[in-house]
């Protein structure tokens, strides 16, 4: 659990709310960072038919995910709680399934990154429900992030049909 240690004199939310919201956001920050790493691992090691299109598509998703993680981390800091994106935290706390080492053929790559994207979307949607009563700004931010990831998931899944 993150603890409020803000150097700022003007709180946006009260301390209890800030810590609760920041904790929910931190869980999603960890998952988003890990999803970007999974996508990059897949990007580097995808092989097979249609390699180039999935290789480029993964980079597009990575941009979305990295932008989202930055937005979530900055929201945590805005609430007066330090964001934690350290590799040790991500490794210990991410809900995203590990990606295999080595080369992975295109169909398996698509399936694995779609599964990882869905895991993060599920986490975001759970957080959206929790944030509804706590902080509309954070809720709205996660709704926007989820919408973008859901679009990427659609495009991934369309390749499995």
């Amino acid at each position: 659990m993150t603890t409020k240690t803000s150097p700022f004199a003007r709180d946006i939310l009260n301390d209890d709310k800030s810590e609760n919201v920041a904790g929910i956001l931190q869980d999603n920050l960890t998952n988003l960072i890990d999803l970007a790493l999974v996508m990059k691992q897949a990007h580097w090691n995808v092989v097979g038919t249609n390699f180039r299109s999935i290789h480029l598509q993964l980079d597009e998703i990575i941009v979305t995910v990295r932008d989202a993680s930055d937005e979530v981390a900055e929201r945590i800091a805005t609430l007066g709680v330090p964001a934690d994106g350290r590799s040790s935290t991500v490794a210990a706390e991410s809900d995203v399934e590990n990606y295999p080492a080595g080369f992975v053929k295109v169909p398996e790559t698509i399936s694995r990154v779609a599964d990882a994207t869905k895991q993060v979307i599920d986490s975001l949607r759970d957080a959206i429900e929790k944030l509804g009563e706590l902080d509309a700004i954070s809720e709205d931010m996660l709704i926007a992030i989820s919408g973008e990831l859901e679009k990427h998931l659609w495009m991934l899944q369309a390749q499995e049909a």
Side-chain angles (χ1 to χ4, degrees):
M1 173 86 183
T2 53
T3 304
K4 188 168 174 25
T5 58
S6 176
F8 310 118
R10 294 167 198 86
D11 290 332
I12 303 236
L13 303 172
N14 69 42
D15 285 351
D16 289 340
K17 241 186 203 182
S18 286
E19 287 186 26
N20 195 1
V21 170
I24 293 167
L25 294 175
Q26 179 62 50
D27 292 342
N28 285 278
L29 174 61
T30 301
N31 288 340
L32 287 163
I33 293 169
D34 200 15
L35 181 60
L37 294 170
V38 163
M39 293 287 176
K40 206 57 173 169
Q41 181 70 21
H43 167 86
W44 293 323
N45 294 296
V46 63
V47 294
T49 305
N50 297 322
F51 154 81
R52 189 172 197 290
S53 63
I54 190 66
H55 180 78
L56 296 174
Q57 183 181 14
L58 291 170
D59 260 348
E60 292 171 3
I61 298 169
I62 291 162
V63 169
T64 299
V65 175
R66 285 182 176 164
D67 287 348
S69 65
D70 190 53
E71 191 172 355
V72 171
E74 289 176 355
R75 180 67 183 164
I76 294 168
T78 298
L79 296 174
V81 179
D84 189 352
R86 297 173 297 161
S87 59
S88 58
T89 301
V90 173
E93 297 180 14
S94 175
D95 297 321
V96 178
E97 189 173 321
N98 286 334
Y99 197 82
F103 294 110
V104 179
K105 294 204 175 272
V106 168
E108 184 181 351
T109 297
I110 292 168
S111 179
R112 286 182 174 274
V113 297
D115 288 346
T117 302
K118 178 67 165 78
Q119 289 174 317
V120 173
I121 290 167
D122 289 346
S123 176
L124 288 164
R125 285 184 158 269
D126 181 59
I128 289 164
E129 285 184 33
K130 292 175 184 172
L131 289 170
E133 296 290 319
L134 297 170
D135 180 25
I137 303 300
S138 296
E139 177 191 32
D140 187 54
M141 178 187 66
L142 293 190
I143 289 168
I145 291 168
S146 183
E148 288 295 312
L149 288 180
E150 289 174 14
K151 183 177 177 183
H152 284 299
L153 179 59
W154 162 62
M155 291 184 180
L156 288 166
Q157 291 181 122
Q159 297 172 80
E160 293 178 307

